[in-house]
């Protein structure tokens, strides 16, 4: 499955892109993250949440949609 | 009454809506980048009672985005300086200032007197404190946060809706996500995000439109794109907070959060450039280390003297034995002042090192 991965905040800085296309053949969000971690090991050090088709989901969720967003918390004010 | 005329002639608001604004009580925590625009619009709109919590002092580097302040506010407490400006904008409302740090001890009492809470703070510890207290006191929380060119807006705890912990259950690791004072922020960004927060506050009070509850709006100032993500309420997270209700006020503020303050040897400290030496001993402690030209701030008075800390420099902190200096680094961390190091050696050893160094 071809997925579109969106990166927010610090994650976009680490990956040096706001979004990209990834080929993925697994099932769960967690498996997708393992693939992404291989590409960007630094992401492992950052806390973030995952949204599937603009809906925040747990990392044990089965991937059924093609748009995945990775969202870190922001502290600034 | 012509001040609110442009509100009143809107059929969706009218005199009835304006009266609701007059009766409303809104507490804004943090009078910084986000707090300034929020306060400005809430004051102009005629919110009858506004509270401002901020312990911090206005610094020159704030003026690039904290638009309530001018050069005449430098060195003043932000809550008090904001009030002065806001009363000029609208002297028909009541503004209460709380120039203090929000803690587990004072937060519940403070929130009790207000209808809506606005989070404009700049650190995770306070954001979680505000969220948990909003759940316990059952107040809607209008949240905003920024990072460089991106912002987030949401309304939490609105009519039993999702909370901040339903989105991010636990604070990130200490130092993992930097804040504006460390990495910079586009000045207009908090203006945009803060205005969106003010808009949500007005909608809640007026009962207009769709409240941004159960949703997180993400805004990117560079791409001018917004993404709205759906947040589901996680009952277990809210129950966890409510279960701590009784002991909440007795919770001690976490100083360390499993965080070891960075230590440095005096030898390595001298290798650093652009540094401020800080002596955190009491005034009558010897030996003095005058050749370092240190800033004297006893540990006991550190939190009240944060304005003496040079944010642009690396802070090299020492004391008599290296223990209080470690605590001082933690205190600064708690206030989001990073780039500080505790010198392992005590003052006598530092002095010996300086003498030995001069002989060479």
């Amino acid at each position: 499955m071809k997925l579109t991965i969106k990166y927010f905040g610090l994650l976009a800085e680490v990956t040096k892109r706001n979004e990209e296309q990834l080929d993925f053949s697994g099932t769960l969000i967690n498996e997708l993250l393992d693939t992404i971690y291989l590409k960007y090991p630094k992401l492992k050090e950052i806390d973030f949440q995952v949204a599937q088709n603009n809906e925040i989901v747990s990392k044990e969720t089965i991937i059924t949609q093609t748009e995945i967003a990775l969202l870190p918390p922001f502290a600034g004010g | 009454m012509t001040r609110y005329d442009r509100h009143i002639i809107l059929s969706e608001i009218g005199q009835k809506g304006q009266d609701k604004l007059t009766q409303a009580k809104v507490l804004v925590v943090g009078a910084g980048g986000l707090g300034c625009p929020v306060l400005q619009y809430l004051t102009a709109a005629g919110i009858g009672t506004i509270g401002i919590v901020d312990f911090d002092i206005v610094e020159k580097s704030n003026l690039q985005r904290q638009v309530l302040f001018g050069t005449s506010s430098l060195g003043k407490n932000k809550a008090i300086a904001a009030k002065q400006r806001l009363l000029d904008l609208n002297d028909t409302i009541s503004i209460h200032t709380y120039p203090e740090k929000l803690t587990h001890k004072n937060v519940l009492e403070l929130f009790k007197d207000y209808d809506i809470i606005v989070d404009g703070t700049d650190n995770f510890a306070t954001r979680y404190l505000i969220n948990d207290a909003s759940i316990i006191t059952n107040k809607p929380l209008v949240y905003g946060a920024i990072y460089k060119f991106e912002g987030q807006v949401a309304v939490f705890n609105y009519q039993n809706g999702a909370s901040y912990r339903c989105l991010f259950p636990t604070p990130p690791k200490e130092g993992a996500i930097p804040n504006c004072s460390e990495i910079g922020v586009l000045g207009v960004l908090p203006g945009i995000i803060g205005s969106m927060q003010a808009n949500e506050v007005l909608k809640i009070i007026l009962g207009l439109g769709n409240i941004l509850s159960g949703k997180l709006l993400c805004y990117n100032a560079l791409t001018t794109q917004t993404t709205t993500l759906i947040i589901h309420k996680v009952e277990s997270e809210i129950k966890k907070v409510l279960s701590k209700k009784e002991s909440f006020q007795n919770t001690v503020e976490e100083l360390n959060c499993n965080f070891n303050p960075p230590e440095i040897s005096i030898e390595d400290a001298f290798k650093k450039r652009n540094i401020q030496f800080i002596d955190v001993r009491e005034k009558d402690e010897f030996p003095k280390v005058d050749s370092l030209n240190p800033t004297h701030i006893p540990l006991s008075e550190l939190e009240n003297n944060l304005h003496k800390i040079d944010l642009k420099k690396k802070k090299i902190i020492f004391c008599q034995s290296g223990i209080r200096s470690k605590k001082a680094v933690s205190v600064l961390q708690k206030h989001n002042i990073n780039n500080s190091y505790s010198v392992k050696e005590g003052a006598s050893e530092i002095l010996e090192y300086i003498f030995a160094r001069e002989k060479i």
Side-chain angles (χ1 to χ4, degrees), chain B residues 102-112 129-130 133 248:
Chain B
L102 202 67
T103 63
H104 280 84
K105 222 185 176 106
N106 63 16
V107 66
L108 297 183
E109 197 60 29
L110 209 53
F111 281 20
K112 217 179 61 193
L129 174 66
I130 291 171
F248 193 79

Side-chain angles (χ1 to χ4, degrees), chain B residues 16-169:
Chain B
K16 220 173 159 186
Q18 192 60 46
D19 290 345
K20 284 184 192 167
L21 296 178
T22 308
Q23 281 147 25
K25 297 173 183 168
V26 181
L27 182 69
V28 179
V29 188
L34 293 171
C36 282
V38 171
L39 287 164
Q40 196 160 20
Y41 278 107
L42 295 187
T43 300
I47 300 295
T49 307
I50 295 178
I52 313 170
V53 188
D54 205 317
F55 68 92
D56 209 0
I57 300 286
V58 181
E59 290 176 42
K60 211 170 203 172
S61 64
N62 299 147
L63 303 183
Q64 160 254 21
R65 63 194 183 286
Q66 301 183 12
V67 292
L68 287 179
F69 310 127
T71 43
S72 65
S73 333
L74 293 176
K76 286 186 186 160
N77 170 269
K78 287 188 182 176
I80 291 166
K83 182 182 176 176
Q84 282 171 355
R85 165 73 191 111
L86 294 170
L87 282 181
D88 181 42
L89 180 59
N90 189 347
D91 62 357
T92 68
I93 65 166
S94 303
I95 300 176
H96 303 290
T97 54
Y98 308 94
E100 58 201 75
K101 211 176 144 53
L102 202 67
T103 63
H104 280 84
K105 222 185 176 106
N106 63 16
V107 66
L108 297 183
E109 197 60 29
L110 209 53
F111 281 20
K112 217 179 61 193
D113 294 335
Y114 292 89
D115 311 319
I116 300 173
I117 313 299
V118 179
D119 180 354
T121 59
D122 63 356
N123 66 86
F124 288 114
T126 314
R127 289 187 181 282
Y128 280 86
L129 174 66
I130 291 171
N131 176 71
D132 295 356
S134 303
I135 294 175
I136 290 172
T137 55
N138 193 24
K139 307 280 176 180
L141 166 61
V142 180
Y143 158 92
I146 49 176
Y147 178 86
K148 288 189 178 177
F149 300 97
E150 289 177 60
Q152 300 174 341
V153 191
V155 177
F156 294 123
N157 312 317
Y158 177 72
Q159 295 180 348
N160 289 314
S163 77
Y164 185 51
R165 283 191 191 269
C166 303
L167 174 62
F168 298 112

